[in-house]
Amino acid sequence: MSNTNARSGVATSRQSEPGDARPSAPVEPTVRRGRRVHRVVRLVCTDLDGTLLDSAGAIRKRTLSTLAEAGRAEVAVVGVTGRPVRDTLDLARRYGLTGPVVCSNGAVTVDAASGRLLDCRGFRPGDAARILRAVRDAVPGVALGVDSVSGLRLETSFVRLVPNDWRHTALEGVSAPGDGDPVVKILAAHPMLLVDELAAVIGSVVDGGTVITRSTGDFLELSAPGVDKGAALRSLAERSGLPLEHTAAVGDMPNDIPMLRAAGLAAAVANAHEDTLRAADIVLPSNDDEGVAALIRLVLPRVAAVEAGRV
């Protein structure tokens, strides 16, 4: 993800515009003792909410400037998010971002500028319907959602449990759409069960290959076997002809951990979940202190030094 022009619950005293937030002084990353830090990074995969975006859901101006600097240095920065396609494209166009973006926890890759579908790895026909039936039978009161290439469908009970501003269609009940519109993610929430409790019940009734993760503490996300952010990073690196040691990843929640484990350099923002922090080689400033910008600044001088050595 490059920039052609240059969420998470903190209250503010006024409505802010994109990137209109108090400037923060640069804070340096902390390298975890004994962890690996590679010299050359050509691909940076970043989560969006809680990572690239600040607590108001915006990309701050210094981060936008750093994204543009990465583009000039031919370091690709790609957003890899749990957000559905339409919501992700809205965000990308809001900031003039170009290049590929990966949506739905690695299931769908689209071109940010055109919206063209580049890759889709959803559930096989019939599997999503079977999972929905199994979860409803096993968990009375569960609230569900279905994310497909064409859009996000959420049960009204899900919206009550998980208020959101995602573009979606609200329904009394959701089902898997036709085969021409593959389901790429299933969402589940419950009014009484914690997400870990819900995960244990759902995990006992779905196929063992189904990927169960979460990007918040409010609901679970189910993906098809083999689909996660780590697989997405590996696919992006392969398309670019890059060895994994020349990649970096940054995130904040458990659904980011496969991406961190796949990357040559694993980073977490300071506000990350404790499991994500443990998976990181370096801990960056928080999303509100523009941690992704700090990561890019960390790798850019290394790129410049290598290129100078080739002259």
Side-chain angles (χ1 to χ4, degrees), residues 82 103-107 121-124 131 147 183-187 206-213 220-229 255:
C103 314
S104 303
N105 281 336
R121 304 183 183 192
F123 288 96
R124 292 179 302 181
I131 290 172
D147 181 14
V183 173
V184 294
K185 191 171 66 170
I186 294 171
L187 289 68
V206 300
D207 180 80
T210 302
V211 178
I212 303 175
T213 188
L220 293 179
E221 298 161 270
L222 284 65
S223 300
V227 174
D228 59 33
K229 291 189 177 187
N255 64 325

Side-chain angles (χ1 to χ4, degrees), residues 60-280:
R60 296 192 174 183
K61 292 178 180 178
R62 181 155 50 87
T63 298
L64 285 170
S65 176
T66 308
L67 290 172
E69 185 179 353
R72 291 191 293 271
E74 297 184 347
V75 174
V77 183
V78 177
V80 182
T81 179
R83 289 186 179 217
V85 172
R86 289 193 299 178
D87 195 62
T88 304
L89 289 176
D90 286 347
L91 178 73
R93 289 163 182 169
R94 179 181 174 190
Y95 290 101
L97 305 175
T98 61
V101 288
V102 181
C103 314
S104 303
N105 281 336
V108 183
T109 303
V110 295
D111 178 74
S114 66
R116 182 169 60 92
L117 183 67
L118 302 177
D119 189 26
C120 181
R121 304 183 183 192
F123 288 96
R124 292 179 302 181
D127 285 356
R130 284 191 290 272
I131 290 172
L132 290 169
R133 285 195 300 268
V135 172
R136 284 196 176 102
D137 290 345
V139 193
V142 69
L144 297 170
V146 169
D147 181 14
S148 69
V149 173
S150 69
L152 180 64
R153 300 164 181 85
L154 301 176
E155 292 182 344
T156 51
S157 57
F158 186 97
V159 178
R160 286 195 296 269
L161 289 171
V162 188
N164 63 80
D165 57 1
W166 312 319
R167 292 178 63 185
H168 69 274
T169 300
L171 304 168
E172 287 304 319
V174 298
S175 59
D179 292 344
D181 184 18
V183 173
V184 294
K185 191 171 66 170
I186 294 171
L187 289 68
H190 197 277
M192 301 299 294
L193 297 177
L194 298 175
V195 287
D196 289 339
E197 297 170 328
L198 184 59
V201 178
I202 291 178
S204 69
V205 299
V206 300
D207 180 80
T210 302
V211 178
I212 303 175
T213 188
R214 58 193 172 101
S215 55
T216 78
D218 299 323
F219 63 93
L220 293 179
E221 298 161 270
L222 284 65
S223 300
V227 174
D228 59 33
K229 291 189 177 187
L233 182 146
R234 289 189 290 271
S235 178
L236 289 167
E238 182 178 358
R239 290 183 197 174
S240 302
L242 283 176
L244 290 176
E245 58 264 30
H246 296 319
T247 67
V250 53
D252 73 314
M253 287 299 289
N255 64 325
D256 297 315
I257 293 174
M259 181 169 69
L260 269 59
R261 289 176 174 162
L265 176 62
V269 283
N271 53 288
H273 186 281
E274 59 184 10
D275 291 343
T276 310
L277 288 168
R278 281 195 290 268

Side-chain angles (χ1 to χ4, degrees), residues 2 8 23 26 49 93 114 141 144 170 177 183 209 244 251 267 280 283 286-287 293 305:
S2 61
S8 310
D49 294 278
R93 289 163 182 169
S114 66
L144 297 170
V183 173
L244 290 176
V283 177
S286 73
N287 62 325

